[in-house]
Amino acid sequence: MIWTPRTTVAAVIERDGHFLMVREDAGTGAIVINQPAGHLEESETLLDAVVRESLEETAWHVTPESLVGIYKWRIPPDGLTYVRYCFAARALSEDSASTLDDGILAADWMTAEAIRRQSGAHRSPMVQQCVDDYLAGRRYPLELIHEIA
């Protein structure tokens, strides 16, 4: 069997000291907090994916401005592995007519402290790591990413 990590994208969207986060049903009965995030779809660029996921999960149009980091998370004990490309993005406008994805309960603007206080409800350890890296000023140019057709 070939090991295949799941490729995901996430957006850290900060405005006036608040971060756009989603509350979602994890499918296990638990309600979790995450950045707007999701899986890369076939024939989609990483930048297109983070713009799409942000709109689908928050009803906000965003534009990616930089790469915050690339994260690999292996879930024990089965070894399911995710590789997350996390982008810093700017909120452009809210689409009040947009319907949120299934499983998304709400999109909320939260302070970094509120996110940290709710660490037990984070979808994964990548949530806090992305916020921490963003707050530490980690920003890499989008030109670092090469999409080769």
Side-chain angles (χ1 to χ4, degrees):
M1 184 165 147
I2 297 175
W3 173 76
T4 306
R6 277 125 171 113
T7 302
T8 62
V9 295
V12 174
I13 305 161
E14 187 264 340
R15 184 180 73 178
D16 300 325
H18 291 77
F19 295 87
L20 185 56
M21 304 294 287
V22 298
R23 293 187 189 280
E24 59 185 320
D25 183 339
T28 61
I31 305 303
V32 297
I33 297 168
N34 199 4
Q35 282 94 10
H39 292 269
L40 178 69
E41 294 181 359
E42 188 175 357
S43 301
E44 184 175 48
T45 69
L46 293 165
L47 296 176
D48 289 344
V50 75
V51 168
R52 175 187 52 76
E53 287 291 351
S54 296
L55 180 61
E56 290 175 354
E57 294 193 354
T58 69
W60 276 86
H61 294 278
V62 303
T63 186
E65 295 186 322
S66 59
L67 180 68
V68 174
I70 302 169
Y71 307 85
K72 179 183 162 206
W73 178 49
R74 182 181 179 273
I75 306 171
D78 62 2
L80 182 62
T81 303
Y82 290 88
V83 175
R84 171 187 271 207
Y85 293 80
C86 183
F87 295 91
R90 183 169 35 95
L92 300 175
S93 63
E94 188 175 15
D95 184 348
S96 59
S98 186
T99 304
L100 301 182
D101 264 358
D102 286 343
I104 303 297
L105 305 174
D108 298 317
W109 290 94
M110 301 173 68
T111 64
E113 181 55 35
I115 294 166
R116 185 173 306 286
R117 276 195 317 265
Q118 296 183 49
S119 63
H122 291 177
R123 177 135 188 144
S124 79
M126 294 183 289
V127 173
Q128 190 64 54
Q129 188 66 57
C130 289
V131 171
D132 290 346
D133 287 349
Y134 176 87
L135 290 172
R138 292 194 174 90
R139 309 283 194 290
Y140 304 96
L142 295 176
E143 293 78 20
L144 186 68
I145 300 166
H146 298 276
E147 302 273 354
I148 301 168

